[in-house]
């Protein structure tokens, strides 16, 4: 028989477990960044997570089957192209463009 502790519903009380990966984003730029999960063309219904300029890590939970996008949290900046975190990379560089001023940053 399968049983679960009473505080989880007792016998057969645990019906579904969803495991989501956790990453930590650290922003070393002089401006806040937004990070958002995406399916490639639109977001997955998540609100962007803001990563401050304090150099402190910000946890970010999302499903590895999706992709993420980043952008500065300032008016006019477009989202980066979607990319995956499932590759074994520790650092990432993206090129971002401000749609209003034409400014470009490599972050």
């Amino acid at each position: 028989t399968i049983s679960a502790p009473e505080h989880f519903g007792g016998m057969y009380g645990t019906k579904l477990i969803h495991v989501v990966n956790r990453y930590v984003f650290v922003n070393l730029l002089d401006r806040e960044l937004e990070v958002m999960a995406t399916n490639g063309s639109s977001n997955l219904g998540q609100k962007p997570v803001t990563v401050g300029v304090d150099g402190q890590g910000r946890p970010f939970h999302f499903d590895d089957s999706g992709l993420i996008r980043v952008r500065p949290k300032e008016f006019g900046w477009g989202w980066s192209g979607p990319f995956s975190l499932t590759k074994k990379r520790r650092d990432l560089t993206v090129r971002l463009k401000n749609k209003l001023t034409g400014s470009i940053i490599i972050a």
Side-chain angles (χ1 to χ4, degrees), residues 24-37 47-60 68-75 77-80 83 92-97 105-107:
V24 176
F25 284 91
V26 178
N27 179 9
L28 300 177
L29 301 175
D30 61 350
R31 59 186 79 197
E32 290 184 324
L33 293 176
E34 291 182 312
V35 181
M36 181 172 45
K47 293 181 181 177
V49 172
T50 300
V51 184
V53 296
D54 55 7
Q56 299 294 316
R58 174 71 191 245
F60 182 69
I68 65 165
R69 294 176 183 247
V70 297
R71 72 175 176 186
K73 188 178 179 177
E74 297 170 3
F75 191 72
W77 290 98
W79 288 101
S80 70
F83 57 89
L92 178 73
T93 303
V94 292
R95 181 179 174 266
L96 303 164
K97 184 175 182 178
I105 60 171
I106 297 176

Side-chain angles (χ1 to χ4, degrees), residues 7-21:
H7 63 278
F8 289 132
M11 191 168 202
Y12 302 108
T14 305
K15 301 209 186 278
L16 176 66
I17 297 174
H18 184 76
V19 178
V20 178
N21 293 306

